[in-house]
Amino acid sequence: MYDPLVDANPGRAQPHAPSYWADTAGSPVADDGPVRGNEDVEVAIIGAGYTGLSCALHLAREHGVRAVVLEANQTAWGCSGRNGSFARISGGRVPLAALIERYGADTARQYFNEMRQALDTTRGLIRDGNIDCDAQPDGVYKVASKAIHVESLKREMGLYNDLLDYPARFVEAADLQAVHAGAESFGALHMPDGFSMHPLKLAWGVQRMAREAGARVHTGSPVTAWTSSAQGHRLVTPGGVITARKVVVATNGYTSRQLHPALTGRILPVHSQIIVTRPMSAAEKQASLPGADCMFDTRNLLFYYRRLPDDRILFGGRSAVNGRDAENPLHRERLLAALCRKFPALQGIDVDYNWGGWVAVTNNSLPHCYPIQGVANAYTGGGYAGSGVSFSLQTGKRLAQMACGEARPTPVPFLHQAPKPFPFQSFLRVGQRMAYAWYRFKDAERASV
Ligand SMILES: Cc1cc2nc3c(=O)[nH]c(=O)nc-3n(C[C@H](O)[C@H](O)[C@H](O)COP(=O)(O)OP(=O)(O)OC[C@H]3O[C@@H](n4cnc5c(N)ncnc54)[C@H](O)[C@@H]3O)c2cc1C
């Protein structure tokens, strides 16, 4: 599997990962095929995931700029076509209490507001573009996988209610059974906003809107070299050279260390993996996920899961540390064992789909959109830490504003700062391996209390 810390680029015209989404999305929407010949453009965007496609759409629709998107493989070949399908009020992975402690209550409020707007942006795109992406009703549960997590979930609810004036509520274990049966559910924090959908259909819908508004999306066109001069940027693809006055980098967790030195070391690609079971019987459904809401738990290495419209369970979590180990069947087995621990009635259930992808984690576990330091007229956004469906669509919109001259389109200071490079680059994965071992130990400890 492509490993951004090892390989020069993600390949060229590679097919989608063998996901449930790729299998059930139907026919792809039209794109503009590979770049053929050299061309001069105003704005080039590298990467056709939600960030890049949303940026192209907003540039065309709100600013009259017809950008060209350069995608190495297929539209939404990266995270955007293979994620867990939850569009939530989320971005990055910093608990609310820690966010307040780090940046203060005002900034936490402004950031929460930006995350809410991100969900509104997502809903707005689905509505305005009539995107048929199987969007499910709202409802997100953060499930206490241990009894000792209940108090902190209640404290978190208090912060949502009192500081953010947001109607999160705590659901007691007995009441939770109506939507989440089985073991390891000691109560949950319920967020009324947030829904699941078909992520690849969503990406294709945004691409259709962007192209209708005047953008072009070139698939099979990896950027293999990037140089800049006073005349602008020169992006080399196998089919031709694109010169652009401005560049937006939307490669996120798939950013190779070799794309540009100014980006190197600022994002750690972390592998997240998903299994999808065979369709469940009515009895199995009743004993696992009678509801169709978005679920994730309170582990350090958390699991996220939902019931799909055809009664399969999608179940995901952290897995391999590097690309070489990503196909190791051990990770699929670990996920299945975790699923069956939660829902003992599913013991022995067949797994029909199994795939993974690289989420982007930054040094502060928070997202960003900023002008790239030392490179004129170049911007980038990402770092959503596995919580980026809605926030990447919002970041694309913010990057479009930045490319059109708005220095700071949000009031949230940390969003517009470049993430610090990780220290001890050569040992990143050694550290990650040790952290995983420690978290697995802590998560397994006293699981039943
Ligand atoms: C298994 C998994 C589950 C997830 N579940 C959820 C979830 O339930 N909810 C949620 O909110 N978030 C989830 N996420 C995260 C979410 O999917 C991402 O944050 C979001 O899709 C990021 O979109 P993006 O456009 O920034 O990046 P991507 O969608 O990753 O797109 C980057 C693109 O850049 C391209 N690229 C890279 N290098 C080059 C180059 N040199 N030239 C041209 N193109 C290049 C890649 O091919 C890729 O298509 C999940 C991610 C994974 C992997």
Side-chain angles (χ1 to χ4, degrees):
M1 169 178 290
Y2 166 63
D3 187 332
L5 293 191
V6 177
D7 302 308
N9 63 61
R12 178 182 180 185
Q14 297 292 314
H16 279 288
S19 70
Y20 172 81
W21 308 124
D23 215 20
T24 56
S27 308
V29 294
D31 59 44
D32 295 280
V35 170
R36 293 192 201 288
N38 302 343
E39 201 185 339
D40 265 331
V41 301
E42 171 72 7
V43 179
I45 299 168
I46 312 175
Y50 299 137
T51 305
L53 295 171
S54 167
C55 182
L57 168 63
H58 285 95
L59 276 171
R61 207 172 63 175
E62 319 291 334
H63 308 277
V65 177
R66 298 173 166 211
V68 164
V69 184
L70 303 171
E71 165 56 47
N73 296 306
Q74 318 290 331
T75 298
W77 180 83
C79 286
S80 302
R82 49 176 106 187
N83 61 62
S85 73
F86 299 176
R88 308 191 284 118
I89 300 179
S90 66
R93 200 185 166 195
V94 176
L96 185 52
L99 197 73
I100 296 164
E101 196 179 308
R102 217 191 272 176
Y103 300 105
D106 285 345
T107 300
R109 255 189 232 105
Q110 287 162 340
Y111 182 49
F112 184 72
N113 194 29
E114 181 71 6
M115 292 192 287
R116 279 186 95 165
Q117 285 183 45
L119 191 59
D120 289 344
T121 297
T122 308
R123 288 185 175 123
L125 290 173
I126 294 172
R127 189 191 54 237
D128 298 347
N130 279 321
I131 302 177
D132 179 10
C133 61
D134 311 327
Q136 302 297 303
D138 280 65
V140 179
Y141 291 85
K142 182 174 178 182
V143 180
S145 51
K146 297 182 187 183
I148 48 168
H149 295 165
V150 165
E151 278 318 305
S152 77
L153 283 186
K154 287 185 174 166
R155 277 198 300 276
E156 197 175 335
M157 177 193 66
L159 288 176
Y160 278 114
N161 296 168
D162 303 337
L163 188 89
L164 301 174
D165 200 20
Y166 182 77
R169 69 189 164 89
F170 186 78
V171 180
E172 297 294 341
D175 300 326
L176 190 59
Q177 291 291 310
V179 289
H180 184 299
E184 297 187 359
S185 56
F186 293 87
L189 183 70
H190 177 260
M191 305 280 280
D193 293 291
F195 59 94
S196 57
M197 38 73 217
H198 192 302
L200 186 52
K201 288 185 183 176
L202 174 61
W204 285 349
V206 180
Q207 167 162 304
R208 174 178 50 74
M209 292 170 78
R211 289 184 74 247
E212 282 169 4
R216 271 180 294 144
V217 181
H218 289 294
T219 50
S221 302
V223 173
T224 55
W226 171 7
T227 49
S228 309
S229 68
Q231 279 70 47
H233 303 278
R234 191 170 178 276
L235 304 173
V236 179
T237 77
V241 175
I242 302 292
T243 39
R245 215 164 72 72
K246 297 175 183 173
V247 170
V248 174
V249 184
T251 50
N252 206 18
Y254 285 76
T255 311
S256 145
R257 291 173 67 83
Q258 292 164 50
L259 183 62
H260 199 288
L263 301 171
T264 304
R266 295 180 192 272
I267 278 185
L268 175 64
V270 169
H271 201 251
S272 187
Q273 188 160 339
I274 289 176
I275 56 173
V276 169
T277 68
R278 65 154 166 74
M280 294 183 289
S281 65
E284 287 169 335
K285 183 165 108 178
Q286 214 46 44
S288 57
L289 291 178
D293 312 76
C294 306
M295 304 279 173
F296 62 102
D297 69 21
T298 49
R299 287 180 157 74
N300 293 295
L301 296 178
L302 65 82
F303 296 113
Y304 49 92
Y305 42 105
R306 66 173 278 215
R307 179 163 59 75
L308 295 164
D310 59 1
D311 285 346
R312 300 168 185 272
I313 287 195
L314 174 153
F315 192 83
R318 295 283 190 254
S319 66
V321 166
N322 58 40
R324 239 186 6 223
D325 188 38
E327 314 288 348
N328 187 338
L330 167 79
H331 305 298
R332 173 190 179 284
E333 297 314 318
R334 268 196 183 141
L335 281 177
L336 181 58
L339 169 68
C340 296
R341 267 198 313 274
K342 274 191 195 295
F343 306 117
L346 301 185
Q347 202 62 46
I349 194 163
D350 291 333
V351 170
D352 285 352
Y353 299 90
N354 166 41
W355 73 93
W358 297 106
V359 307
V361 175
T362 57
N363 209 356
N364 64 2
S365 297
L366 287 164
H368 54 255
C369 51
Y370 64 93
I372 301 173
Q373 291 152 326
V375 192
N377 296 318
Y379 311 85
T380 189
Y384 315 115
S387 263
V389 168
S390 52
F391 210 77
S392 56
L393 291 166
Q394 180 76 352
T395 299
K397 177 176 159 174
R398 296 309 190 195
L399 285 166
Q401 289 172 272
M402 294 176 85
C404 291
E406 229 177 297
R408 286 173 173 259
T410 86
V412 187
F414 63 74
L415 282 181
H416 301 302
Q417 286 157 8
K420 290 203 173 81
F422 283 92
F424 309 115
Q425 296 277 326
S426 329
F427 298 101
L428 271 182
R429 282 182 162 162
V430 177
Q432 194 185 348
R433 217 179 283 280
M434 285 162 65
Y436 277 17
W438 172 245
Y439 287 145
R440 284 206 174 94
F441 168 73
K442 294 299 287 176
D443 286 338
E445 200 181 37
R446 297 170 49 192
S448 62
V449 295

